[in-house]
Amino acid sequence: MNRSSAALLLKKARASNSKIKDKKEGQRDIIHSARLGAFSASAAKYTSSIDIDRRILEAVIDVNIAHVLMLSEQKIISKSSSKQVIIALKKIPRDFQLNDFLEDVHMNVEDYVISKAGKEAGGMLNIAKSRNDQVATALRITLRDHLLGLARELITLEQVLLAKAFQNAAAVMPGYTHLQRAQPITLGHHLLAHEETFERDLERIIQCYLRMNKCPMGAGALASSGFLLNRKLVATLLGFDGLIENSLDAVSARDFVIESIYDCAQIMSDVSKLAEEIILWTSKEFSFAVISDKFAATSSMMPQKKNAIVPEVARARTSQVAADLVAALGIVKSLPLSYNLDLQELTRNLWTAIDKTLDTLRLFSEMITELKFNEEIMDQAVQGDETLFATEVADYLVTNYGMPFREAHSRVSALVRNAESSGNLRKAFTGSAEEDISSILGVAISKKELSGLMDPHLVLSRRRTIGSPNPRLVKQSCKSHTVVISKYKRKFDRLEQKVILGKNRLMSRVDQEIGAYLTMNKNEQVETGTTTKKWISETQNRAEVK
């Protein structure tokens, strides 16, 4: 293509884009045109939250319904207007197409209601509320479901870890500090440590949920409203436990978002530690475990390779979720009260953190269920390395020879160093001459006596303190944590039921408001009781899927 042809094509493209731009900039949304001139199409696209708003659409509809019911009860709007607006809200389809020129989901919903209920009734929808209190409320409702989802996935992962820990309560393996072999433990004890970590994550989710489940609606843009509102009624209809009372705090508070992202970052950090160990254990250097082919990949060049790619990606996504937390803190750190559109961007970090964490937890439960452990190789790693029993030898010198621990520690260290210099480190306590061993340890001790300290099963059986790697205690701990997890599960089940009952209560009030039958147009009638049951059933089904 020559230069003149290219220039002509570019000119035509610019002319076409200009026409589209002029057309878009000639549009008006329902709040912009009365106060301001034409809104730039590029500015609309840049500031729009449409791409992330679909997630809160259902919550926005519920918030509007609860608000309208309250307005009707307070006699701020007529029953007739209330009925028309609620019917329009209930008719919003699941695949509702959001227009990005209307900025966000809130204006799209209002625009739809006005188009269906008319300007007189539909124009009443936004009385005594703002997008500021509405989005804060919708976020909490939507996040509420996601936190319950996180809890469910955490519980599943913990149950998988507890089952594996119980099965491997007596499977001996080296314990590590600084990634150096330290002392003998069991695989069950090691997996139980991860389970307890996730148990604390579960506690944090509960605490976050309870702090978050307060209702901001009725705060308006920042200073509430001159209309006398019943904020408690709206909170009850939406399944909240109470109110965010101060109107400034209600519209601007995003600490619940920060806390939720932090919880995700902490969960991912805990997952990443487990991921790193799975990568190590499934390597040839360790060979402690074999990852299922379902969660591994091979090389495009090297035919023999089997790479643990799922835990590798989890490590990377941990950093991404941590970055979401840093970004979120950066967004809110200098914002003056009350609402600023910066908070819209914060929501992006919330949903990406939530999604990555949920996906990771689901996959790890599946992956660990199918993870196979090589007990023989783990046992050989312990039996073949006497340095793992160095602490046991030092303790023996204290209890049987009355030696101060610091002296015993020093003498055992010297014996290990002597074995290392002679190239026999793995036989640190039985590989030297008996007289040399006694000389270094400062007591007359036989190899047979020392060999009795090298049996990992005897060593572990002597660990009788709570939380020790004694197989008997590991099994007891697995059972007690199973009981704890069951209690947590029942607690989250109750929280979930409260959400469903709240939805039930909301729809019941809708039925009372608009009656058993209402003519929606000349040819269509809807039985609202049936609609309500369907709506509640769909909510329960979504909860089960999650």
Side-chain angles (χ1 to χ4, degrees):
M1 183 183 291
N2 58 38
R3 288 187 178 181
S4 59
S5 298
L8 182 61
L9 285 173
L10 181 60
K11 185 176 180 180
K12 287 181 178 179
R14 284 175 174 170
S16 176
N17 288 339
S18 178
K19 289 178 182 178
I20 294 171
K21 182 179 178 183
D22 290 344
K23 183 179 179 181
K24 284 188 174 181
E25 291 188 350
Q27 294 182 36
R28 294 288 190 274
D29 69 9
I30 58 179
I31 60 170
H32 194 275
S33 57
R35 170 65 178 85
L36 304 171
F39 192 39
S40 161
S42 56
K45 183 177 180 180
Y46 183 74
T47 59
S48 173
S49 60
I50 292 297
D51 59 320
I52 56 172
D53 277 354
R54 179 158 298 283
R55 193 183 296 243
I56 64 170
L57 172 61
E58 185 178 337
V60 168
I61 294 170
D62 284 356
V63 170
N64 275 291
I65 289 173
H67 181 71
V68 170
L69 287 169
M70 181 273 296
L71 293 178
S72 175
E73 182 161 308
Q74 295 294 102
K75 297 183 172 30
I76 296 171
I77 64 173
S78 68
K79 291 283 185 182
S80 174
S81 293
S82 169
K83 290 175 183 179
Q84 292 177 67
V85 170
I86 290 173
I87 290 169
L89 286 166
K90 290 183 70 174
K91 289 179 71 175
I92 295 176
R94 288 282 185 89
D95 58 350
F96 184 47
Q97 294 301 307
L98 302 179
N99 178 358
D100 61 3
F101 201 81
L102 291 176
E103 297 184 39
D104 54 38
V105 64
H106 313 287
M107 301 318 302
N108 271 269
V109 167
E110 186 174 351
D111 183 65
Y112 179 90
V113 169
I114 290 173
S115 73
K116 296 297 181 183
K119 289 184 178 179
E120 186 173 338
M124 297 292 188
L125 177 62
N126 215 58
I127 286 181
K129 75 176 174 69
S130 163
R131 286 181 291 182
N132 297 356
D133 59 347
Q134 182 167 288
V135 70
T137 308
L139 274 177
R140 289 171 187 264
I141 291 172
T142 307
L143 181 56
R144 190 166 64 186
D145 290 340
H146 285 304
L147 289 181
L148 291 173
L150 278 175
R152 283 189 291 272
E153 296 303 333
L154 272 171
I155 287 171
T156 299
L157 179 56
E158 287 178 63
Q159 289 171 332
V160 168
L161 287 168
L162 284 171
K164 287 284 187 182
F166 191 85
Q167 293 166 10
N168 295 279
V172 174
M173 70 175 291
Y176 293 83
T177 63
H178 308 279
L179 204 54
Q180 305 290 325
R181 289 180 180 177
Q183 289 180 278
I185 59 169
T186 71
L187 175 60
H189 186 65
H190 193 111
L191 295 176
L192 195 55
H194 285 294
E195 188 279 328
E196 288 195 17
T197 301
F198 291 122
E199 199 172 293
R200 291 193 294 275
D201 291 330
L202 194 58
E203 290 174 4
R204 278 186 281 269
I205 294 293
I206 289 178
Q207 293 160 3
C208 178
Y209 183 99
L210 294 176
R211 277 189 288 271
M212 180 207 65
N213 200 33
K214 309 288 184 183
C215 186
M217 273 306 289
L222 77 159
S224 189
S225 170
F227 294 97
L228 180 59
L229 307 180
N230 187 343
R231 293 188 64 193
K232 290 182 178 179
L233 172 61
V234 175
T236 300
L237 292 175
L238 294 173
F240 286 104
D241 297 326
L243 300 174
I244 303 291
E245 289 194 7
N246 184 281
S247 60
L248 286 171
D249 183 40
V251 299
S252 61
R254 292 297 184 274
D255 51 341
F256 70 97
V257 173
I258 300 294
E259 186 175 0
S260 299
I261 299 175
Y262 165 75
D263 286 347
C264 289
Q266 183 61 61
I267 291 168
M268 289 297 288
S269 178
D270 295 334
V271 168
S272 188
K273 290 189 293 185
L274 180 55
E276 174 66 14
E277 289 178 342
I278 291 172
I279 292 165
L280 290 172
W281 291 348
T282 56
S283 69
K284 295 294 184 184
E285 284 70 19
F286 280 75
S287 295
F288 287 178
V290 178
I291 193 169
S292 168
D293 291 353
K294 296 176 184 178
F295 310 100
T298 190
S299 165
S300 61
M301 183 177 184
M302 299 171 284
Q304 84 282 11
K305 293 298 295 296
K306 181 178 181 181
N307 302 319
I309 60 168
V310 168
E312 287 175 355
V313 171
R315 282 189 311 193
R317 292 194 178 171
T318 298
S319 299
Q320 292 169 344
V321 175
D324 284 322
L325 177 60
V326 173
L329 289 168
I331 288 171
V332 302
K333 69 176 178 61
S334 299
L335 292 183
L337 292 176
S338 57
Y339 186 83
N340 299 271
L341 201 56
D342 310 51
L343 297 177
Q344 171 181 287
E345 298 304 296
L346 177 66
T347 310
R348 300 179 191 279
N349 301 106
L350 173 63
W351 299 141
T352 55
I354 290 281
D355 289 345
K356 284 182 172 69
T357 306
L358 280 169
D359 289 345
T360 302
L361 288 173
R362 289 189 191 107
L363 264 179
F364 265 65
S365 294
E366 296 172 18
M367 181 178 65
I368 294 169
T369 297
E370 300 197 30
L371 195 64
K372 306 298 182 185
F373 292 97
N374 194 329
E375 291 186 43
E376 184 179 350
I377 289 179
M378 290 190 294
D379 189 73
Q380 288 173 359
V382 174
Q383 302 280 8
D385 188 353
E386 291 184 358
T387 62
L388 283 161
F389 302 92
T391 305
E392 200 69 18
V393 173
D395 289 347
Y396 186 78
L397 293 176
V398 173
T399 56
N400 286 64
Y401 291 91
M403 190 180 292
F405 178 77
R406 190 51 60 206
E407 180 184 348
H409 182 280
S410 180
R411 287 183 177 278
V412 172
S413 295
L415 187 58
V416 172
R417 185 175 183 179
N418 179 69
E420 186 176 38
S421 63
S422 62
N424 198 20
L425 186 60
R426 287 183 175 273
K427 295 292 182 181
F429 303 117
T430 61
S432 302
E434 202 164 274
E435 57 270 23
D436 292 337
I437 294 172
S438 295
S439 174
I440 294 172
L441 293 181
V443 295
I445 189 168
S446 67
K447 284 188 179 183
K448 184 177 180 181
E449 196 175 354
L450 284 172
S451 294
L453 304 175
M454 307 296 158
D455 184 337
H457 299 286
L458 287 176
V459 168
L460 292 171
S461 68
R462 285 195 288 266
R463 299 284 194 268
R464 297 187 298 275
T465 304
I466 293 173
S468 300
N470 183 317
R472 179 178 59 82
L473 295 177
V474 170
K475 285 189 173 183
Q476 286 180 4
S477 191
C478 286
K479 291 176 181 178
S480 64
H481 282 285
T482 298
V483 172
V484 171
I485 292 305
S486 295
K487 289 180 179 178
Y488 277 127
K489 187 177 184 303
R490 288 194 295 272
K491 184 174 292 188
F492 279 106
D493 286 343
R494 287 194 295 271
L495 292 175
E496 192 168 71
Q497 283 303 312
K498 280 187 68 176
V499 171
I500 293 172
L501 287 172
K503 188 79 169 181
N504 195 341
R505 190 183 300 115
L506 177 64
M507 292 303 101
S508 178
R509 290 297 289 266
V510 167
D511 285 349
Q512 293 173 23
E513 185 73 10
I514 65 178
Y517 292 89
L518 274 178
T519 303
M520 300 185 73
N521 56 45
K522 290 181 180 179
N523 303 313
E524 180 183 10
Q525 285 191 332
V526 171
E527 184 176 347
T528 58
T530 303
T531 306
T532 299
K533 290 174 185 176
K534 182 181 177 184
W535 197 332
I536 295 164
S537 176
E538 289 171 349
T539 303
Q540 291 171 327
N541 289 338
R542 282 195 299 277
E544 289 170 4
V545 169
K546 289 173 184 173

